[in-house]
Amino acid sequence: MKFEAISNRFVRLVAPYFIGLFSLLSVSANNFPIGSTTSSPVNPPVITLNVTDIQIIEVGSSYTELGATAQDNEDIDEDLTSAVTISGVSEVNTNVIGDYNVIYSVTDSDGNAASETRIIRVVDSQPPVVTITGSSPISIEVGSTYYELGATATDNYDPGFSVTNSIATTGTVTEEVVGPYTITYSAEDSSGNVGTTQRIVNVVDTTSPTIDITGDNPTTITLGTTYNDEGATATDNYDGDLTLDIVQTGSVDNSVVGENSIYYNVSDEAGNPATEKFRTVNVVDDTNPTINLLGFSTLTHDVGTIYVDPGATANDNYDGNLSSQISTDNNVNPNMLGTYTVEYTVQDSSDNTAQEQRTVQVVDTVDPVISLVGNTTVTIEYQTTYTDAGATATDNYGGNLNTSLTSSNTVDTETLGEYAFTYAVSDSSSNTAQVSRTVIVEDSTPPTISLNGPEEINLQVGDSYNEGGATAVDAHDGDVTADIITVSSVDTSTVGVYYVTYTVSDNEGNNTQATRTVVVGSPPVITLQGANPLQLEAGSTYVELGANAFDVPDGDVSDQISISESINTSVLGSYSVQYSIIDSDGNSTVLYRAVEVSDTTSPDIDLVGDEQ
């Protein structure tokens, strides 16, 4: 590559001299008269490569042309960059490693040529990716067999089987000795890039020791006698006999009636604890029973619902389970807010008594329910008066809360937009509810067009037609005369009925149309039945309204009207229906009905679940 760089610099150094020499030799005698001493030195353009002479590209990436600039000193520092031609780009294959040449050439106005070469070097510098088969880290129990799962490798350039076959595996696992071990996998691609990964294999001891209690369990002693514990034994799969390592805790107080426990614990060298064993030592005598509440000692209960007490259990060290003998004093009124006490009492056969209490708070945590009268979304016309339909409020404890309802009204019918009419209420326990009705103020009224002059004008063939125009006013946008679109087909040189249509839309897309009829001579006259323009709701069915036609010589020719339409009410847009007729003299008339398919229906909202 160094040789190529030197060669390129050499060519750029000597090329101008060779080009100048050849140019001098080729000068025509007609340009230099015999005896002339004038000479013109050859000065070829100078090409400068942008960024670098050697462009390194990672295999598989995209080639980006860096370009070059060109200057011609002969032409007073003329910039020839736009005249540079580039060749060899199509030969660059970034998916194949190797060197490619891209040549930049330019010729100045004197025919002097220059060229430069950039080397495009496609390389692979990415190491293979080695992926272990299975997991890492993995753990095997001490004494078990380790099975090597191996690994696979992929490379951005070389085929997977090739780099996989190059994997070298190092490291060993001693299965009988607890500890961590490392298995290393290395793969090398054809470019010498090496990728590695490791698997950590932990030989572990996860088996807990076992403890066996010696002697009876439980055991009973009489109050005041001496207790001598018989101990326990312990064994482990890895450490063997751990009896001497047992930790014994607990003691027996032979002066107090009750149940005593002696606990035995041990762990192996790996820190695995044995399941704790304990011996129960009962010192028997009379003692008071105990009462255990089922559930919480303080309960919160919703007003108006049936209260079912969770109850309690009672035990005695001598009489056992006394739950069936518990007497309960329950004065809870679930329909009245307040704090109540439930008392539990029990007595054993020796007249030892136990007593427990539960506090029950009857509360109201349920929010009131507000129901809107009418729809949750209401649409009203611009500048109309809005009167809300109202709402009702009920509460599970307070009943009818209509008189406590408050409302917040933000509806401004003078401004288009979406507003909220909100109702709020609170019950005696400060539970609140809020519901809003959406009020949409819209402008759905189209502008009004007024024709300047008569709606129908009669002319003789050859008369002049003077367009009178029209004016338009919209309730929201005001004067929209400037927005009127006028379409005229009047031809006073030909007998016929012609129409001048005036169409205008307001800012909300409401549009309207007016038509002026211009009759030249005595053609048939078509009169539309029904509205023009005709407004249709999206998804409805188009029903043809028809038309009548009258001709001076032919009379009523309504049955000869030809009607053509292609209205798709499932697609919003503007359509037209064509009515055409030709009388016996060959005079023709064509009239159009404008049809506007629009969506004026508000969406319906269905609440999922309760409104509150």
Side-chain angles (χ1 to χ4, degrees):
M1 301 307 172
K2 182 182 294 183
F3 174 75
E4 293 172 346
I6 294 172
S7 299
N8 289 335
R9 289 196 294 270
F10 177 75
V11 170
R12 291 195 298 271
L13 182 62
V14 302
Y17 298 99
F18 282 104
I19 294 172
L21 176 60
F22 295 146
S23 298
L24 287 173
L25 293 176
S26 62
V27 172
S28 171
N30 294 327
N31 294 329
F32 295 95
I34 297 174
S36 172
T37 60
T38 302
S39 62
S40 175
V42 176
N43 232 346
V46 176
I47 297 177
T48 303
L49 299 181
N50 293 336
V51 183
T52 181
D53 292 351
I54 299 177
Q55 184 177 350
I56 306 298
I57 299 178
E58 187 69 23
V59 65
S61 62
S62 299
Y63 167 71
T64 300
E65 171 54 46
L66 301 178
T69 60
Q71 297 288 331
D72 185 25
N73 295 329
E74 182 69 20
D75 292 334
I76 314 176
D77 295 327
E78 180 182 357
D79 187 350
L80 298 180
T81 300
S82 61
V84 174
T85 61
I86 305 173
S87 62
V89 173
S90 62
E91 304 301 323
V92 177
N93 186 350
T94 60
N95 294 315
V96 178
I97 294 173
D99 285 358
Y100 304 86
N101 291 330
V102 174
I103 301 171
Y104 304 82
S105 303
V106 72
T107 301
D108 64 13
S109 59
D110 294 327
N112 301 314
S115 66
E116 286 290 343
T117 300
R118 174 181 281 119
I119 296 174
I120 309 302
R121 182 160 296 155
V122 180
V123 299
D124 173 19
S125 63
Q126 300 298 318
V129 177
V130 182
T131 303
I132 62 174
T133 303
S135 302
S136 179
I138 61 172
S139 297
I140 64 170
E141 190 69 19
V142 61
S144 63
T145 302
Y146 169 68
Y147 296 97
E148 174 55 50
L149 299 177
T152 60
T154 59
D155 188 65
N156 64 317
Y157 189 70
D158 294 346
F161 72 87
S162 174
V163 289
T164 297
N165 290 337
S166 75
I167 293 176
T169 304
T170 58
T172 59
V173 177
T174 304
E175 298 146 333
E176 294 78 15
V177 180
V178 172
Y181 300 88
T182 301
I183 307 298
T184 302
Y185 308 88
S186 301
E188 183 176 356
D189 63 14
S190 60
S191 296
N193 301 307
V194 177
T196 64
T197 191
Q198 292 182 329
R199 187 198 313 274
I200 303 300
V201 181
N202 293 313
V203 178
V204 297
D205 174 18
T206 62
T207 304
S208 297
T210 58
I211 298 174
D212 294 316
I213 295 178
T214 304
D216 294 334
N217 185 30
T219 187
T220 302
I221 66 170
T222 304
L223 180 68
T225 62
T226 301
Y227 171 70
N228 296 311
D229 192 75
E230 296 183 63
T233 60
T235 58
D236 183 65
N237 68 314
Y238 189 64
D239 299 329
D241 188 353
L242 297 178
T243 300
L244 296 178
D245 297 323
I246 292 176
V247 176
Q248 180 176 319
T249 59
S251 63
V252 176
D253 184 357
N254 61 7
S255 65
V256 178
V257 173
E259 184 178 279
N260 301 269
S261 296
I262 305 298
Y263 298 93
Y264 309 91
N265 287 283
V266 73
S267 295
D268 61 16
E269 291 185 2
N272 300 307
T275 300
E276 183 182 65
K277 294 292 183 70
F278 66 94
R279 187 197 310 273
T280 300
V281 181
N282 292 311
V283 178
V284 295
D285 204 338
D286 295 335
T287 189
N288 288 334
T290 58
I291 297 176
N292 296 311
L293 298 181
L294 298 176
F296 297 106
S297 60
T298 300
L299 292 179
T300 299
H301 182 74
D302 286 330
V303 67
T305 61
I306 297 174
Y307 174 73
V308 178
D309 192 78
T313 60
N315 286 281
D316 183 72
N317 67 322
Y318 183 73
D319 296 332
N321 190 333
L322 299 179
S323 300
S324 61
Q325 299 180 37
I326 295 175
S327 62
T328 304
D329 182 10
N330 180 0
N331 65 349
V332 177
N333 182 353
N335 296 314
M336 181 70 67
L337 299 179
T339 301
Y340 303 88
T341 299
V342 180
E343 191 169 85
Y344 310 86
T345 305
V346 70
Q347 205 172 53
D348 65 12
S349 60
S350 298
D351 295 331
N352 298 307
T353 302
Q355 193 175 70
E356 283 289 344
Q357 290 182 338
R358 187 195 313 276
T359 301
V360 179
Q361 296 174 339
V362 178
V363 298
D364 176 16
T365 62
V366 179
D367 291 334
V369 176
I370 299 176
S371 299
L372 295 177
V373 177
N375 297 327
T376 57
T377 300
V378 175
T379 300
I380 63 171
E381 190 65 21
Y382 169 71
Q383 289 184 331
T384 60
T385 300
Y386 175 69
T387 302
D388 195 77
T392 60
T394 58
D395 184 64
N396 66 316
Y397 186 71
N400 189 321
L401 298 181
N402 289 346
T403 58
S404 300
L405 271 173
T406 62
S407 62
S408 174
N409 179 12
T410 63
V411 179
D412 179 6
T413 60
E414 295 295 326
T415 304
L416 300 182
E418 187 173 297
Y419 301 89
F421 196 101
T422 303
Y423 291 93
V425 72
S426 296
D427 64 13
S428 60
S429 297
S430 299
N431 300 308
T432 63
Q434 181 173 296
V435 173
S436 294
R437 189 194 317 275
T438 300
V439 180
I440 301 172
V441 178
E442 67 174 14
D443 173 20
S444 63
T445 303
T448 301
I449 297 178
S450 300
L451 298 182
N452 296 330
E455 293 184 2
E456 181 175 323
I457 298 175
N458 293 282
L459 300 174
Q460 297 301 316
V461 175
D463 287 352
S464 296
Y465 170 69
N466 296 317
E467 172 55 45
T471 59
V473 177
D474 183 69
H476 182 261
D477 299 335
D479 188 348
V480 291
T481 302
D483 296 329
I484 295 176
I485 299 174
T486 305
V487 178
S488 174
S489 62
V490 177
D491 180 5
T492 60
S493 65
T494 303
V495 174
V497 177
Y498 301 93
Y499 302 95
V500 181
T501 60
Y502 307 86
T503 305
V504 70
S505 297
D506 61 18
N507 290 333
E508 300 303 313
N510 303 307
N511 64 76
T512 188
Q513 187 179 79
T515 303
R516 191 193 308 277
T517 303
V518 179
V519 180
V520 178
S522 299
V525 176
I526 299 175
T527 302
L528 296 181
Q529 296 180 358
N532 183 31
L534 177 64
Q535 301 291 331
L536 290 181
E537 186 68 18
S540 63
T541 302
Y542 172 72
V543 178
E544 174 54 49
L545 301 177
N548 297 321
F550 182 82
D551 185 67
V552 173
D554 297 338
D556 187 351
V557 288
S558 300
D559 58 347
Q560 299 179 35
I561 296 175
S562 175
I563 303 175
S564 175
E565 59 91 2
S566 57
I567 298 171
N568 185 356
T569 61
S570 64
V571 178
L572 301 180
S574 298
Y575 302 87
S576 64
V577 181
Q578 177 180 294
Y579 303 84
S580 58
I581 190 171
I582 301 175
D583 64 13
S584 58
D585 295 326
N587 298 315
S588 63
T589 299
V590 177
L591 182 61
Y592 294 91
R593 187 196 308 274
V595 178
E596 186 72 23
V597 177
S598 58
D599 178 14
T600 63
T601 303
S602 299
D604 292 328
I605 299 176
D606 294 323
L607 297 180
V608 177
D610 295 333
E611 191 171 289
Q612 289 291 323

